[in-house]
């Protein structure tokens, strides 16, 4: 039992190391089981969403205006993840709509330069996140729970895409992690779903369904455009899912 708990803890730390820029010292062989650690991606979302919420609450308590507090929380969130998911969104936007073939799209996505589609996607993403987080705190009494739930579900869909779609290229972060078993990905999403239901009750069911729908649409788009998934696709899907869920949460 102790050994099993140790392994689970290590897998969570591996997920934190892969999805954030938190400096963690892990054993050299820890990343050999990266594909098995994807079940805990949603826990990283809980930590990320909880951190953003705490920053907003602390700044509000200090007399800072809500809109300014949300800006600071977004900045911290970007530092925490190393802008990884937003970078994936920009690369995917450039590649999906800047190329006319799978090969050209993948080539554009690998290019470190950013194009017009990527800039537009980043600007709209940040503006929408700022507006939605602000709106959530204004209209919802359980804003913190909603933000945490949205962040968790947006990370929980990533393993589902990894398991369902083949790698679009034979290198990159997603390829290095490996293709997880569908049972591992489904377990992670199921655990996340239980957490969200416990946190929000029936409102959580709406968010779960929206997350699955958004995941399916992102997966279908990636399949049509590049025939599979990459790390950029996963990051973009997480951002799109989070924004979709935040949009719905303002109505719950």
């Amino acid at each position: 039992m102790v050994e099993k708990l140790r392994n689970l803890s290590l897998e969570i730390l591996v997920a934190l190391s892969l999805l954030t820029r938190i400096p963690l010292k892990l054993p050299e062989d820890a990343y050999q089981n990266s594909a098995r650690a994807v079940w805990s991606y949603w826990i990283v979302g809980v930590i990320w969403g909880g951190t953003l919420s705490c920053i907003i609450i602390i700044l509000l308590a200090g007399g800072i205006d809500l809109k300014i507090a949300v800006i600071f929380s977004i900045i911290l969130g970007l530092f925490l993840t190393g802008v990884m998911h937003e970078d994936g969104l920009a690369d995917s936007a450039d590649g999906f709509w800047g190329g006319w073939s799978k090969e050209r799209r993948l080539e554009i996505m690998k290019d470190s330069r950013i194009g017009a589609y990527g800039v537009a996607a980043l600007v709209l993403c940040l503006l929408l996140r700022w507006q939605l987080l602000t709106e959530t705190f204004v209209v919802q009494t359980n804003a913190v729970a909603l933000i945490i739930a949205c962040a968790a579900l947006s990370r929980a869909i990533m393993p589902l895409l990894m398991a369902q779609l083949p790698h679009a290229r034979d290198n990159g972060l997603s390829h290095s992690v490996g293709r997880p078993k569908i049972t591992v990905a489904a377990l992670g999403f199921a655990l996340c779903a239980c957490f969200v239901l416990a946190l929000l009750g029936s409102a959580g069911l709406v968010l779960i369904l929206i997350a699955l729908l958004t995941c399916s649409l992102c997966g279908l788009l990636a399949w049509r455009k590049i025939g599979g998934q990459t790390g950029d696709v996963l990051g973009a899907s997480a951002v799109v899912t989070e924004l979709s869920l935040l949009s719905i949460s303002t109505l719950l």
Side-chain angles (χ1 to χ4, degrees), residues 61 75 77 81 87 96 127 138 160-161 175 177 190 250:
I75 292 172
T81 62
D87 178 66
F96 283 10
L127 284 175
V138 169
L160 295 178
L161 290 173
H175 189 275
V177 170
T250 61

Side-chain angles (χ1 to χ4, degrees), residues 39-235:
W39 70 267
S40 60
Y41 279 12
W42 69 274
I43 297 177
V44 180
V46 171
I47 295 171
W48 189 80
T51 301
L52 262 64
S53 299
C54 286
I55 292 300
I56 294 173
I57 291 172
I58 291 172
L59 292 178
L60 287 176
I64 303 296
D65 182 76
L66 174 60
K67 293 181 179 180
I68 303 300
V70 171
I71 290 175
F72 277 112
S73 74
I74 291 174
I75 292 172
L76 178 64
L78 293 177
F79 274 111
L80 190 61
T81 62
V83 203
M84 183 187 306
H85 304 314
E86 289 74 16
D87 178 66
L89 176 68
D91 287 343
S92 296
D94 278 334
F96 283 10
W97 285 279
W100 295 99
S101 67
K102 170 187 173 180
E103 292 73 21
R104 178 56 181 155
R105 287 166 184 148
L106 287 172
E107 182 183 350
I108 293 173
M109 291 169 70
K110 194 173 182 180
D111 194 330
S112 60
R113 293 171 295 181
I114 187 171
Y117 288 111
V119 171
L122 278 178
V123 171
L124 291 173
C125 156
L126 294 174
L127 284 175
L128 190 55
R129 180 178 287 157
W130 172 73
Q131 178 62 38
L132 291 173
L133 287 174
T134 302
E135 186 73 9
T136 300
F137 264 90
V138 169
V139 303
Q140 297 291 358
T141 56
N142 59 342
V144 172
L146 285 167
I147 291 170
I148 291 174
C150 292
L153 285 168
S154 68
R155 272 66 177 180
I157 60 100
M158 295 168 69
L160 295 178
L161 290 173
M162 296 170 72
Q164 293 287 68
L165 293 175
H167 295 290
R169 59 163 62 101
D170 58 2
N171 53 38
L173 179 59
S174 177
H175 189 275
S176 67
V177 170
R179 192 172 179 183
K181 296 179 180 179
I182 186 61
T183 52
V184 175
L187 172 63
F189 190 85
L191 290 173
C192 181
C194 291
F195 171 79
V196 170
L197 288 173
L199 198 62
L200 299 173
S202 59
L205 181 59
V206 176
L207 295 183
I208 292 167
L209 294 176
I210 294 297
L212 289 172
L213 176 61
T214 309
C215 173
S216 300
L217 293 175
C218 289
L220 179 60
L221 179 62
W223 175 258
R224 284 180 170 272
K225 292 291 186 179
I226 59 174
Q229 52 88 8
T230 66
D232 286 333
V233 169
L234 298 178

Side-chain angles (χ1 to χ4, degrees), residues 7 16 91 215 244:
N7 290 336
L16 269 172
D91 287 343
C215 173
S244 299

